[in-house]
Amino acid sequence: MKTATNATLSVEPQANVPLTASQRRWVKFRRQLPFYVMAAIPVVYFILFKYWPMFGVSIAFQNYKIGAPFISADAKWVGLRWFKQLINSPFFGRWVRNTLAISFWNIALIFPMSILMALMLNEIRNKKLKGFTSNLSLLPHFISTVVIVGVVVNFFSVDDGLVNQVIASMGGEKIDFMGSPEWFRPLFIGSGAWQNVGFSSIVYTAAIAGIDPSLYEAAALDGSTRVKNIFKITLPCILPTIITMFILRVGSVMAVGYEKVLLMYNPAIYETADILSSYSYRAGIVDGKYSLSAAVSLFNSVCDLILVIGANKVSKKISETSLW
């Protein structure tokens, strides 16, 4: 037993064999494989639904017929014909004006409300109450747009809507909210705020959570109040996030979703409800003018590109934050 033990102890440990370059790359790849898989999902999504469909943009410069290939020798190219038809339309000014008006009020109201929601959630000290409030504010975002519009109709219908019932019970005259042009934007933007403010505040809540707690502790020692902390610590720390989100929001000014507009509008309120996206839907799906519909969508995309580049340049000049 002693001899065996001595023999075992006398064996020297083998030196670690260095890995080759290819082996090191393989080990690194295996360690980062979960991250590659996570990254592959959005990459595939953007390739399939964002970049591959860009070949279809060519029909905006053709007299396209359904079923024909996007690019072929038999394609009838018409240049900027459909863009000229869009711009020369007597309703072009109305479409652009309505699109910009809805986007402006979305930015002016929903954007700061999202920041305010994040600040309010940060000031709740009870964890259970904070979690309940946060989850409650998120729920409307996951409700279908059809259901949201149904709720709006049930509340504001001229016949049996809850709001009109209250007005009638107080001796007032019922208001046709859904058929009045002046009420479309308040209903559209108000329901959008209820639906999206809580979800949009997630980014700012995460940015606030990343602030160093020692800043608040040092401010408390100096006698700073919670209100002063918001303006002296919280807002300056999340300012880069706010600027980044604002640039992205400006880059989607022309991309007002037509789904909700289509569900809410009717010919009586085209004056304030008809936008470029809804016209694109009518031109392509209803009238079968696919080339004109593609031209409208491309016009929207080019305008958004110009806006996001301009907003990024302005942000770079007045601050140190920009997308590129």
Side-chain angles (χ1 to χ4, degrees):
M1 294 295 295
K2 291 182 179 181
T3 305
T5 303
N6 294 335
T8 303
L9 294 174
S10 63
V11 176
E12 297 181 356
Q14 296 182 354
N16 293 330
V17 179
L19 299 177
T20 62
S22 60
Q23 289 175 331
R24 288 195 299 270
R25 286 194 296 268
W26 173 247
V27 171
K28 184 178 180 181
F29 174 78
R30 289 184 60 184
R31 290 176 179 174
Q32 298 180 347
L33 182 60
F35 302 103
Y36 288 126
V37 173
M38 292 175 61
I41 297 174
V43 168
V44 172
Y45 168 80
F46 278 99
I47 291 175
L48 292 179
F49 298 102
K50 300 297 181 180
Y51 288 98
W52 180 255
M54 288 180 70
F55 288 102
V57 172
S58 60
I59 70 175
F61 306 95
Q62 305 175 23
N63 188 11
Y64 180 76
K65 300 298 181 183
I66 188 67
F70 292 148
I71 300 177
S72 65
D74 299 329
K76 298 179 180 180
W77 299 92
V78 295
L80 300 177
R81 171 186 172 184
W82 303 114
F83 295 93
K84 293 178 181 178
Q85 180 174 331
L86 170 65
I87 296 174
N88 293 330
S89 172
F91 302 107
F92 177 74
R94 185 178 71 181
W95 296 330
V96 175
R97 182 177 65 252
N98 292 339
T99 302
L100 293 177
I102 292 175
S103 293
F104 170 79
W105 286 112
N106 275 331
I107 295 176
L109 295 178
I110 298 179
F111 188 80
M113 288 173 65
S114 302
I115 302 173
L116 181 61
M117 172 66 75
L119 295 174
M120 293 173 61
L121 290 174
N122 184 58
E123 294 302 317
I124 300 177
R125 294 294 177 255
N126 189 304
K127 292 184 178 181
K128 291 184 179 181
L129 178 60
K130 182 177 182 178
F132 174 78
T133 306
S134 177
N135 293 331
L136 190 65
S137 66
L138 290 175
L139 286 179
H141 178 78
F142 300 99
I143 300 176
S144 170
T145 303
V146 177
V147 177
I148 294 292
V149 175
V151 172
V152 173
V153 172
N154 287 334
F155 269 82
F156 295 96
S157 174
V158 68
D159 297 322
D160 54 358
L162 179 61
V163 175
N164 272 315
Q165 289 181 12
V166 173
I167 294 175
S169 65
M170 298 176 64
E173 185 177 351
K174 291 185 176 181
I175 303 173
D176 186 8
F177 292 101
M178 304 304 298
S180 302
E182 64 271 14
W183 281 104
F184 172 78
R185 290 174 189 168
L187 293 179
F188 185 91
I189 297 168
S191 59
W194 174 67
Q195 185 179 13
N196 297 316
V197 164
F199 185 80
S200 300
S201 66
I202 292 177
V203 176
Y204 309 110
T205 303
I208 293 173
I211 299 176
D212 188 356
S214 62
L215 296 176
Y216 295 102
E217 295 173 0
L221 293 175
D222 291 338
S224 178
T225 62
R226 294 170 66 175
V227 176
K228 289 183 179 180
N229 288 345
I230 293 175
F231 293 98
K232 299 294 185 180
I233 299 176
T234 307
L235 286 176
C237 288
I238 67 172
L239 185 59
T241 303
I242 295 175
I243 294 175
T244 300
M245 297 303 297
F246 181 77
I247 294 173
L248 294 174
R249 186 63 190 84
V250 170
S252 58
V253 164
M254 304 297 291
V256 178
Y258 67 90
E259 301 90 348
K260 189 176 177 181
V261 174
L262 292 178
L263 292 170
M264 290 184 63
Y265 82 164
N266 55 73
I269 59 173
Y270 275 2
E271 180 183 345
T272 57
D274 203 16
I275 59 175
L276 283 166
S277 297
S278 62
Y279 172 68
S280 175
Y281 170 84
R282 293 201 308 275
I285 304 300
V286 179
D287 299 334
K289 300 177 180 179
Y290 302 104
S291 295
L292 177 58
S293 178
V296 177
S297 299
L298 182 58
F299 175 81
N300 278 347
S301 300
V302 171
C303 290
D304 283 337
L305 177 62
I306 295 173
L307 288 172
V308 75
I309 292 176
N312 188 74
K313 286 186 176 181
V314 172
S315 175
K316 186 180 292 185
K317 287 184 178 180
I318 65 177
S319 69
E320 298 179 357
T321 303
S322 60
L323 293 179
W324 63 84

